[in-house]
Amino acid sequence: MMRIHRSILEPIYEDPVYETRIEGYDKGLINSWQIGRQLAQRDTELVAEVLRGELPSLGVKGGIDKKKKPKFKFKYGCLWYLAQLQGLKGVDLDVDLNQEVELVCSRTKIKVIFTSDMSKYCPPEEEES
């Protein structure tokens, strides 16, 4: 089991080294959580949306775009989104790399399944014949 946890009481920091920030033992989850915490300091409306249970678009797979009417009942998202969401909510980072987490957007009622399995949210493109 691989659970990544960080206390919200820890100060926000930025690791300048890409390899440790994105490719380290935590698979970039701490970095994503830190980004969410920084966003929370700058965007109170985004925090309000998240606290209402919405899953806004955050720039990584998992959010639901307000401008497009979704044509699906569920979708897959990445654990980076889940980590950013936790940072925006101002809670501890707590993500298990081996567990999928399901959340339902309060605005659209669409279920998002957050997973570490990239093949679910980034399927390979079909080859042209």
Side-chain angles (χ1 to χ4, degrees), residues 12 22 43 47 55 62 71 91-92 109 126:
I12 296 174
I22 304 300
D43 193 337
V47 171
L55 300 174
K71 297 178 181 169
V91 299
D92 290 355
K109 307 302 182 226
E126 292 182 22

Side-chain angles (χ1 to χ4, degrees), residues 4-127:
I4 307 300
H5 183 269
R6 276 275 210 248
S7 170
I8 194 66
L9 300 176
E10 292 190 32
I12 296 174
Y13 75 94
E14 285 189 48
D15 187 339
V17 180
Y18 178 85
E19 287 77 15
T20 57
R21 197 174 68 238
I22 304 300
E23 298 174 350
Y25 77 97
D26 67 310
K27 309 293 186 211
L29 292 172
I30 295 171
N31 184 66
S32 294
W33 179 66
Q34 300 277 26
I35 290 169
R37 293 175 71 193
Q38 291 167 340
L39 280 171
Q41 293 176 339
R42 296 190 308 264
D43 193 337
T44 57
E45 179 53 36
L46 184 59
V47 171
E49 290 173 12
V50 167
L51 293 177
R52 286 192 300 263
E54 296 180 26
L55 300 174
S57 182
L58 296 177
V60 291
K61 297 267 185 188
I64 301 170
D65 193 340
K66 286 183 180 182
K67 297 174 184 157
K68 297 178 184 173
K69 183 160 175 88
K71 297 178 181 169
F72 44 84
K73 297 192 188 245
F74 80 95
K75 68 182 271 186
Y76 288 99
C78 66
L79 295 180
W80 284 356
Y81 183 97
L82 188 59
Q84 272 193 32
L85 198 65
Q86 291 176 359
L88 277 162
K89 287 181 177 182
V91 299
D92 290 355
L93 171 65
D94 190 12
V95 176
D96 185 335
L97 296 171
N98 298 315
Q99 295 290 318
E100 291 185 341
V101 174
E102 296 181 6
L103 297 177
V104 176
C105 177
S106 65
R107 181 175 50 81
T108 64
K109 307 302 182 226
I110 293 173
K111 177 171 56 173
V112 181
I113 303 166
F114 297 97
T115 180
S116 62
D117 184 352
M118 284 183 62
S119 69
K120 291 182 177 180
Y121 58 84
C122 291
E125 293 184 29
E126 292 182 22
E127 293 182 21

